[in-house]
Amino acid sequence: MVCVDREAHFIDVNDTFCRACGYSREELLSMRVHDLDPDYSAELWPEFWEKLKKSGSLIFETCHRSKEGELYPVEISARYFEHDGKEYHTAVARDITERKKSEEALEASEAKYRLLADNVRDQVWVMDLNLKPTYISPSVEKLRGYTLEELAQLPLDKQFTATSFQSAMEFFSIEMPKAEADPEYFARPLELEWCCKDGSTLWVESTFSQVRGENGEPMSLMGVGRDITERKRAEDEVKRQQAFLRQVIDGNPNLIFVKDRDSRYLLANNALANAYGTTSANMQGKTDLELGVPAEEFARFRQDDMEVLQSGKEKIIPDESFTWHSGEVHYYQTTKRPLLNEKGEINSILVVSVDITNRKKAEVALKASEAQYRLLAEHTTDGIMLLDMNLKLTYVSPNVEKMRGFTPLEAMGMSLEKHLTPGSLKLASELFLEEIPKVEADPDYNPVRILELEYCCKDGATILTESKFSIIRDPGGKPVSILGEARDITERKKAETALRRSEEKYRLLADNASDVIWTADMNLNTTYISPSIYAMQGHTPEEAMNLTMEQRFTPESLEKLSKIFMEALANEEAGREQPNNLDIIEAEYIRKDGSTYGPAS
């Protein structure tokens, strides 16, 4: 072994190198490479150095001249490195005199086997120990399109794809020392992607062995390659499908997994791994118990697994609990199905679990909510009812008996035609026919409609109601019910009718009185003026309604009126008793022509 600097000086040499060339260490440290190697003169050295620097390492054959002047063949393994800003290379020089002799003997024997190699379908090639081809079988030309002469001149790094070339170099750096040390050693097969002349590539499974001389020394490297392109394509397709299926199950929020007969995981998706707080790979070969599931849960899971394995039948578990690694309990609807091996034997089970935790929580909340609303509905004075989307009653509150004389059970058994008078039935039917298709088509459409409907009572009478209808949807947005709220407004309607008749009677009196009668709201905005205003002030009632108080009264009268009104309003708000509700005030009005007059108001 030697160490050489950029100027070809020997920096260091070992004893073996000194013995091989016959020089002492001191003599060699005063020499340069071209003093020993006639192939690398001072003129050629810079070119060699740049090549070594670029590649990082080189293996080549050359000749060294001994101190006695004799030339002997050597194999050099050189590696470039830098230290303290300076460039060096280390080289191992191996005397290959005996190997060369063996190679010559091998060349003589190769002829006998060339005929066989030239006619096999597999690729056969022989390389020297520097990985330079010395023989290539004709089958290579058929597979790759190159002539034997072209292949012999093609650099090794151009014969493979970049990835395969690197794999080959790593392979030889690991395997060749083993083969050289052990004559019985056989290197492992290597799959490489070779380049063809037309630009395509093909996969070849290659096996390598060393050809040795009579004394067992390695002389060359023989390779045998078999085209496995179709096999690789099939394998790649399998890998692609496996990757696709893996992506599918890992993208699924449901728990998807496969267990063997011992309830050990053979496959698990990310959703299950996340529930366990681990990875899918870490779950392989483990049971739920080993992954931290409580013993009681594991026993339940195991019992269900064995039932499916022994019966060979699918089992659906509508509701089961599973404790996550965080301690949180989730609920699942689980399906377990047996899987068969290539012999038709049941050897594993496929499990798919759908998380229904939110649905369970919603059901609990719904039951509590239903209890609250049922209590409210049963004690409200309004009538509460629920209809399905086919307009069939599904609930009627108990106060229907007070309002109409029917028990809830009787009311539930009646059709809408029995509940409503013909006119109200027509009105309600038109509303439902118009709105229900819209509600079913648009999940965001939730109308609230109010109708005045007349309901039939058990004694033959009727009541008038203000009925409000709204939509109830399930968590998925599907309309499931129509909520009806009916308030008895029979008495209110009677009072409104009586009030309207009373207003008509007093309006007739006011409209025909000779005095001016007017009313104002709490902000002193006029709300009514009798027709007699025209005779007194020259304004029509419509004109007078649009006049402000400043336009109707003189300033002195307006101030007096405002003061009296403010005092009365303050007493009213303070709850103080008024001396009387009638005030007679002398005020001066302004006529349309600008004149004034002062009647008692």
Side-chain angles (χ1 to χ4, degrees):
M1 177 179 286
V2 299
C3 179
V4 180
D5 66 11
R6 183 182 180 89
E7 285 71 33
H9 291 107
F10 287 105
I11 303 302
D12 196 9
V13 296
N14 67 358
D15 293 341
T16 303
F17 187 80
C18 293
R19 286 194 296 271
C21 64
Y23 288 101
S24 68
R25 185 172 183 278
E26 290 73 16
E27 288 173 323
L28 287 169
L29 294 182
S30 65
M31 298 168 65
R32 295 192 179 191
V33 171
H34 50 263
D35 295 327
L36 256 67
D37 194 331
D39 291 340
Y40 289 89
S41 64
E43 292 76 16
L44 296 177
W45 180 256
E47 179 183 350
F48 164 76
W49 188 266
E50 291 303 320
K51 182 179 179 182
L52 174 61
K53 180 178 179 180
K54 184 177 180 180
S55 64
S57 63
L58 292 173
I59 299 175
F60 56 94
E61 291 183 8
T62 185
C63 290
H64 282 178
R65 180 180 287 109
S66 68
K67 189 172 182 179
E68 287 76 22
E70 295 180 359
L71 288 174
Y72 60 95
V74 293
E75 179 187 78
I76 304 295
S77 297
R79 183 175 298 275
Y80 172 86
F81 72 97
E82 294 180 5
H83 180 68
D84 288 341
K86 295 182 180 180
E87 299 178 1
Y88 303 94
H89 87 255
T90 58
V92 175
R94 181 182 292 112
D95 187 340
I96 56 173
T97 303
E98 293 303 320
R99 190 182 80 187
K100 283 294 184 180
K101 292 179 180 178
S102 298
E103 285 175 356
E104 292 171 1
L106 177 63
E107 288 175 2
S109 66
E110 275 183 351
K112 295 187 295 182
Y113 299 101
R114 184 178 293 273
L115 181 64
L116 176 63
D118 285 351
N119 290 278
V120 297
R121 294 181 59 186
D122 290 347
Q123 302 177 55
V124 180
W125 63 94
V126 178
M127 296 182 289
D128 62 22
L129 297 180
N130 293 320
L131 303 182
K132 182 179 180 181
T134 58
Y135 169 76
I136 302 172
S137 65
S139 57
V140 175
E141 184 173 357
K142 295 177 183 178
L143 285 171
R144 299 174 59 195
Y146 290 108
T147 65
L148 302 184
E149 292 74 16
E150 288 172 333
L151 282 172
Q153 299 301 318
L154 194 65
L156 201 58
D157 62 342
K158 301 299 183 184
Q159 300 208 32
F160 303 97
T161 61
T163 302
S164 285
F165 176 70
Q166 182 162 350
S167 298
M169 293 300 98
E170 291 174 354
F171 173 84
F172 289 128
S173 66
I174 294 171
E175 299 295 330
M176 284 187 67
K178 297 178 182 177
E180 290 174 1
D182 182 3
E184 303 298 324
Y185 181 76
F186 285 92
R188 56 185 167 84
L190 180 63
E191 294 182 358
L192 297 172
E193 191 173 11
W194 294 74
C195 298
C196 300
K197 190 173 183 178
D198 62 4
S200 63
T201 62
L202 60 88
W203 280 94
V204 175
E205 182 183 67
S206 303
T207 56
F208 298 91
S209 58
Q210 282 202 338
V211 179
R212 296 177 179 273
E214 294 180 358
N215 299 322
E217 73 280 6
M219 299 176 59
S220 59
L221 191 66
M222 184 175 71
V224 178
R226 176 162 297 174
D227 184 357
I228 59 168
T229 304
E230 292 304 318
R231 190 189 83 189
K232 287 290 288 185
R233 286 174 182 166
E235 290 173 353
D236 289 343
E237 178 61 19
V238 170
K239 290 178 181 177
R240 189 193 67 78
Q241 292 180 0
Q242 288 176 340
F244 173 74
L245 292 174
R246 185 80 230 184
Q247 187 176 7
V248 169
I249 68 169
D250 281 341
N252 196 308
N254 300 323
L255 309 186
I256 302 175
F257 53 95
V258 176
K259 289 180 177 180
D260 64 15
R261 298 189 70 88
D262 296 322
S263 292
R264 295 186 178 278
Y265 284 101
L266 301 176
L267 177 145
N269 70 342
N270 283 345
L272 181 61
N274 291 338
Y276 273 116
T278 186
T279 63
S280 301
N282 190 51
M283 294 180 65
Q284 296 287 325
K286 295 180 181 177
T287 66
D288 294 295
L289 193 62
E290 291 169 336
L291 290 166
V293 162
E296 181 265 328
E297 283 189 11
F298 171 71
R300 173 161 45 84
F301 296 160
R302 177 65 176 159
Q303 182 178 350
D304 293 332
D305 294 348
M306 292 308 299
E307 181 180 336
V308 173
L309 289 165
Q310 291 171 1
S311 68
K313 296 179 180 179
E314 177 181 281
K315 181 174 184 178
I316 297 175
I317 304 165
D319 184 352
E320 67 172 351
S321 62
F322 168 41
T323 305
W324 283 22
H325 76 102
S326 61
E328 184 180 0
V329 177
H330 281 242
Y331 294 88
Y332 292 88
Q333 179 178 300
T334 298
T335 301
K336 297 191 174 186
R337 179 175 298 171
L339 297 178
L340 306 179
N341 61 15
E342 62 277 2
K343 297 179 181 179
E345 301 166 339
I346 298 173
N347 67 338
S348 56
I349 59 170
L350 169 67
V351 184
V352 178
S353 294
V354 180
D355 194 331
I356 59 171
T357 305
N358 290 336
R359 190 183 79 189
K360 288 275 291 184
K361 291 178 180 178
E363 288 173 354
V364 172
L366 180 61
K367 288 178 181 178
S369 177
E370 283 180 348
Q372 293 176 351
Y373 284 111
R374 182 175 293 275
L375 182 65
L376 179 63
E378 290 177 355
H379 290 82
T380 184
T381 57
D382 292 346
I384 307 294
M385 70 190 80
L386 286 175
L387 300 93
D388 62 20
M389 300 310 291
N390 295 316
L391 303 182
K392 181 180 178 181
L393 283 165
T394 58
Y395 173 77
V396 177
S397 61
N399 65 345
V400 69
E401 191 165 3
K402 293 180 182 178
M403 292 177 70
R404 298 170 51 207
F406 296 107
T407 66
L409 190 61
E410 289 173 333
M412 289 274 288
M414 295 164 55
S415 63
L416 284 182
E417 291 83 351
K418 301 293 183 180
H419 283 279
L420 299 169
T421 61
S424 290
L425 177 64
K426 181 175 182 295
L427 190 63
S429 298
E430 289 173 350
L431 173 71
F432 294 142
L433 286 173
E434 177 185 355
E435 296 293 347
I436 287 178
K438 298 178 184 178
V439 166
E440 291 178 334
D442 184 356
D444 295 321
Y445 184 63
N446 297 292
V448 177
R449 297 289 182 262
I450 298 176
L451 299 176
E452 289 189 359
L453 299 177
E454 192 172 8
Y455 282 85
C456 302
C457 299
K458 192 171 184 179
D459 61 5
T462 61
I463 60 169
L464 190 62
T465 68
E466 182 182 77
S467 297
K468 181 170 72 173
F469 296 96
S470 56
I471 296 298
I472 297 176
R473 296 181 182 271
D474 66 15
K478 179 181 178 182
V480 291
S481 297
I482 301 171
L483 172 65
E485 304 169 61
R487 176 167 293 173
D488 188 349
I489 58 171
T490 305
E491 295 303 319
R492 189 184 81 187
K493 280 294 182 180
K494 289 178 181 178
E496 288 174 356
T497 301
L499 177 61
R500 186 174 62 255
R501 290 174 180 170
S502 174
E503 284 180 346
E504 291 172 354
K505 181 173 66 175
Y506 286 108
R507 181 177 287 274
L508 181 64
L509 177 62
D511 287 352
N512 290 279
S514 58
D515 291 340
V516 175
I517 300 173
W518 57 274
T519 60
D521 62 20
M522 301 305 289
N523 295 316
L524 296 183
N525 296 314
T526 305
T527 58
Y528 172 78
I529 296 180
S530 64
S532 57
I533 188 73
Y534 183 76
M536 284 194 174
Q537 298 182 21
H539 295 290
T540 65
E542 291 77 14
E543 291 172 336
M545 287 282 287
N546 292 319
L547 294 175
T548 63
M549 290 297 175
E550 290 82 355
Q551 293 170 319
R552 293 184 60 195
F553 295 96
T554 61
E556 295 81 4
S557 293
L558 179 59
E559 183 179 358
K560 184 192 302 183
L561 284 169
S562 297
K563 182 178 180 182
I564 293 171
F565 178 77
M566 294 303 293
E567 289 176 354
L569 185 60
N571 289 333
E572 184 72 24
E573 290 179 349
R576 290 190 291 270
E577 186 175 347
Q578 302 278 8
N580 59 66
N581 289 324
L582 180 64
D583 286 311
I584 300 176
I585 307 166
E586 291 185 357
E588 190 174 8
Y589 288 84
I590 302 173
R591 292 191 180 94
K592 187 174 182 179
D593 60 7
S595 61
T596 63
Y597 73 99
S601 296

